[in-house]
Amino acid sequence: MVKENEVPASLEWRVNMPSGSSRILVPESRQTCSRLQSLVMGIVLNIRGFLDKAWNLAVNEPKKVVHCLKVGLALSLVSVFYYMRPLYDGVGGNAMWAVMTVVVVFEYTVGSTLYKCVNRAIGTCLAGSLGIGVHWVASQAGDKFEPVILQASVFLLAAAATFSRFIPTIKARFDYGAMIFILTFSLVSVSGYRVDKLVELAHERVSTIAIGASICIFITMILCPVWAGTELHLLISNNLEKLADSLEGYAAENFRVDCSKNVHEKDSSKRLQGYKCVLNSKAGEESMANFARWEPAHGKFNFRHPWKQYLKIGASMRSCAYCIETLNGGINSNTETPEFLKKPLNDVCMRLGTSSSKVLKEMSSMVKTMKNSTKLDILVDEMNSSVEGLQNVLKSFPSYQHISIPDPGTVEASNGTEETSLKPSALPLMEIVQMATLTSLLVEIASRIEGIVEEVKELATQAEFRDESSKKSKQTQTKLNENDGNEHEVTMKTLQKV
């Protein structure tokens, strides 16, 4: 008999493991340490990646770094009114409103800062004056009707101001002002019911907001200003160049020859996708044009510069970019045009793509320098002649029912020689459609480029672009005058010697 507390000597403990499986048991403390190390390393790598991106952004766009320093400087200056007792007593206990004004209205460009400052000033003054007037009327009605009049005025004016924000013209220029009006009128009306010195309170808030807005305007216009009009001008010019690169790249991608392969495959991913920047720039163009209207005359831009014309140019460019996007889809489709059909069209299509790209690049240079181009009309004529050449080739092209295509059996029998017999055969319809789509898209792109040319010429007329010929003639006349003056001095010296 075996007792309860005794273990038989012959009893053994065995653990049966599946065949082919081997596992080393690691202590739990080591597993926890390795997990902690991996977690710390992941956090460090994420922080390092974030710092690298921030550094690259600062190096590529130093204007944004300068903007951050300008915001810090503005907040430092406006905080003096809160820290120094004499200035604090001068503006009352509402000195923090100046700090809030700087934080809210200081934007990246001069135009956007002016837009917010002017809207905030107009909304605050209008709402403050109306609030004081409504409070006086309500106080004359007695204690019983005073809260009713105040609530009714808040409801009516807030609803009317909110509805005005849906009107396109007011939304484009005074949307921020309408929001500030609602906020200020509500604060003045509600707080005026419990505050005795309402006029003094409104005066202090208006003065502090004026101080903050003045500091923002002074810093943004004096220290390294970033003008919204200049940014819009450069954006339109760069988009024209990107559109030209994309068009030239796609024409070469589909109708290229062997000698141009290496040239267009170096930066194809960057050049071919340039049209997407044009398609995605509508919101940026509209905001920049709106802010540019608030800016004073600066650089080459007068106070009444035609900023709306830039929006028309952008719309024309997007219509052209949509065709390039369709061209991209046709090139990347599964249906490919046979080489023996594409070969007769290579030269004319490449010529059309190159001439169209030259027109876009010339317009980009014209907009960037704000000078009328003497080459633009010549390049447009070359583009139209290329379109006519392509259309003539398509007209002379035989119908697809009678196209002679290479006979595969004859090719195999020729043992690799170039001599192949042509066998009349019907060509599949999809191959004809693919070729016709690509060529028709190139023709359509050329016609839409003419629309861009008209808009650019209209901008040149309204903005009074300078003529290159007149500048050259002035330089030539100056050189002639200098030469005449030198000859006159030589003659006078000769006469004096005699």
Side-chain angles (χ1 to χ4, degrees), residues 336-346 397-398 400 402-407 420 422-423 425-428 431-432 435:
E336 295 184 359
T337 306
E339 289 295 330
F340 70 91
L341 285 178
K342 191 189 298 183
K343 189 174 181 180
L345 300 173
N346 277 342
F397 214 81
Y400 73 92
H402 302 90
I403 291 179
S404 298
I405 61 176
D407 188 4
T420 57
L422 298 178
K423 179 182 178 181
S425 178
L427 197 65
E431 297 180 355
I432 292 291
M435 180 182 64

Side-chain angles (χ1 to χ4, degrees), residues 360-378:
L360 290 171
K361 289 182 178 180
E362 186 64 24
M363 284 190 291
S364 174
S365 176
M366 179 178 172
V367 172
K368 183 179 295 184
T369 59
M370 296 186 70
K371 297 178 182 177
N372 289 316
S373 174
T374 57
K375 301 178 182 178
L376 184 60
D377 294 334
I378 299 174

Side-chain angles (χ1 to χ4, degrees), residues 31-41:
Q31 291 182 356
T32 305
C33 183
S34 62
R35 291 175 182 174
L36 183 61
Q37 289 179 354
S38 62
L39 179 62
V40 172
M41 289 298 297

Side-chain angles (χ1 to χ4, degrees), residues 131-240:
I132 293 173
V134 170
H135 176 72
W136 181 83
V137 172
S139 62
Q140 298 298 319
D143 296 337
K144 185 177 181 180
F145 294 99
E146 182 178 2
V148 177
I149 295 175
L150 292 176
Q151 288 296 99
S153 63
V154 170
F155 173 77
L156 293 176
L157 291 177
T162 304
F163 178 77
S164 67
R165 299 180 65 186
F166 293 103
I167 302 175
T169 55
I170 295 179
K171 184 176 180 60
R173 292 196 175 188
F174 303 104
D175 182 69
Y176 182 71
M179 183 180 65
I180 294 299
F181 173 83
I182 298 171
L183 174 63
T184 305
F185 182 79
S186 301
L187 290 175
V188 171
S189 299
V190 174
S191 61
Y193 184 70
R194 299 294 182 183
V195 178
D196 296 332
K197 299 180 180 179
L198 182 61
V199 178
E200 184 179 354
L201 175 64
H203 178 266
E204 289 176 354
R205 292 189 178 181
V206 169
S207 61
T208 52
I209 290 174
I211 291 171
S214 301
I215 291 176
C216 292
I217 293 174
F218 178 79
I219 292 178
T220 192
M221 293 185 66
I222 299 301
L223 300 178
C224 302
V226 179
W227 303 97
T230 304
E231 295 293 319
L232 175 62
H233 185 81
L234 295 177
L235 177 64
I236 294 297
S237 176
N238 293 333
N239 283 346
L240 282 169

Side-chain angles (χ1 to χ4, degrees), residues 1 6 9 15 42 123 135 149 171 177 185 218 227 247 266 303 310 313 315 329 333 373 394 404 438 451 492:
M1 294 294 294
E6 293 181 358
V15 178
H135 176 72
I149 295 175
K171 184 176 180 60
F185 182 79
F218 178 79
W227 303 97
L247 177 58
K266 291 181 180 179
F303 183 73
Y310 287 92
I313 296 175
S333 63
S373 174
L394 292 176
S404 298
L438 294 178
M492 294 298 295

